[in-house]
Amino acid sequence: LNGTDIRYIREMAGRDGFEQLTTGNLSVLDLSNARIVAGGENYYGNNGYNYLYTSDDTIGDLTFWGCARLTSINIPNTVTNIGLYAFQYCNGLTSVNLGSSVSVIGNQAFYKCLYLKKVTVKNPIPATLGGYAFRLSPLTIVFVPASSLNTYQANQDWSLLPIGVDEILTINNPTAGGLRTALLAAGYKPFSSITKLNVTGNLNSTDIKLLKDSLTLLMELDISGS
């Protein structure tokens, strides 16, 4: 894809070159098998006067600014940089998948995406976050690679986000009241990183209180075998 293609996608997602609403209804955009390259036709920024061009492996400044009809996007593994304000005011976005090479996310790239709940990150190395990259976007979960959980939680910028791992943890709790010990023995700390849990064995009120109070990002709970 080059600038010509990006401009056409913007039109399909509800913005033309001069930022006027169009009849385009594109909501799901999967670029995971595409590559962004330099060249092609220019497109416009958020005020109609910023002439922008694509560059290799970069989603440029303001590329999808205000494309409010987009609900989800998969960013290619080849993309390394996401520019300034690239998805700002994409108020329809609910989920974003960041490719494995994304290393820079520019200032306000996802600022005020009012329905953005879930971000999935593939890069084991935390990207550099520009100022207010996700500000005023109501994230409920940022999934990161399990092998890099501690790295993300130790990162000054990423640690401010709700970091978790997208995998199901199965725990057997033979002794009621011992769920905390069982989780620690399995190497899961902090408990807030657990998003999906299957518990077998025995549970009492101590265990239930732990589930309620300490697993703050828990999204799926299966206790059918307990």
Side-chain angles (χ1 to χ4, degrees):
L1 304 175
N2 64 15
T4 302
D5 306 308
I6 295 297
R7 182 172 184 173
Y8 187 56
I9 290 173
R10 285 164 59 87
E11 294 173 2
M12 290 191 292
R15 290 280 177 176
D16 68 13
F18 295 97
E19 305 307 337
Q20 301 298 315
L21 290 176
T22 70
T23 57
N25 290 309
L26 178 66
S27 61
V28 178
L29 179 58
D30 185 354
L31 301 178
S32 56
N33 291 313
R35 181 175 182 180
I36 295 175
V37 299
E41 187 179 4
N42 61 288
Y43 51 94
Y44 295 86
N46 67 326
N47 58 15
Y49 296 101
N50 296 325
Y51 292 81
L52 303 175
Y53 298 83
T54 58
S55 57
D56 287 346
D57 300 330
T58 295
I59 293 179
D61 300 349
L62 299 157
T63 298
F64 293 103
W65 183 94
C67 290
R69 290 188 173 92
L70 284 179
T71 60
S72 67
I73 183 166
N74 290 334
I75 294 174
N77 290 331
T78 54
V79 164
T80 58
N81 296 324
I82 297 175
L84 310 178
Y85 323 113
F87 294 92
Q88 188 182 60
Y89 302 130
C90 286
N91 293 333
L93 271 182
T94 60
S95 65
V96 172
N97 292 323
L98 299 176
S100 59
S101 298
V102 173
S103 58
V104 176
I105 299 176
N107 293 352
Q108 300 187 37
F110 295 94
Y111 179 87
K112 210 170 184 180
C113 297
L114 296 179
Y115 293 94
L116 181 57
K117 300 290 188 179
K118 182 178 74 170
V119 173
T120 300
V121 180
K122 296 181 182 179
N123 194 339
I125 301 173
T128 299
L129 293 184
Y132 301 133
F134 292 99
R135 185 70 176 270
L136 299 183
S137 294
L139 295 176
T140 57
I141 188 65
V142 176
F143 286 125
V144 302
S147 60
S148 302
L149 176 62
N150 292 336
T151 302
Y152 274 87
Q153 290 177 330
N155 183 278
Q156 181 177 355
D157 295 323
W158 286 92
S159 64
L160 300 176
L161 303 175
I163 301 295
V165 176
D166 189 14
E167 63 180 27
I168 298 175
L169 170 62
T170 298
I171 290 289
N172 181 45
N173 188 47
T175 304
L179 184 58
R180 180 184 296 274
T181 300
L183 289 172
L184 289 173
Y188 282 88
K189 187 180 180 181
F191 298 152
S192 61
S193 65
I194 300 171
T195 62
K196 302 176 182 180
L197 181 64
N198 175 28
V199 183
T200 60
N202 301 289
L203 300 172
N204 65 14
S205 58
T206 299
D207 304 311
I208 298 299
K209 188 174 188 303
L210 177 72
L211 293 173
K212 178 182 178 182
D213 295 343
S214 298
L215 279 70
T216 54
L217 295 182
L218 189 63
M219 302 167 66
E220 297 180 14
L221 176 61
D222 183 354
I223 54 175
S224 59
S226 61

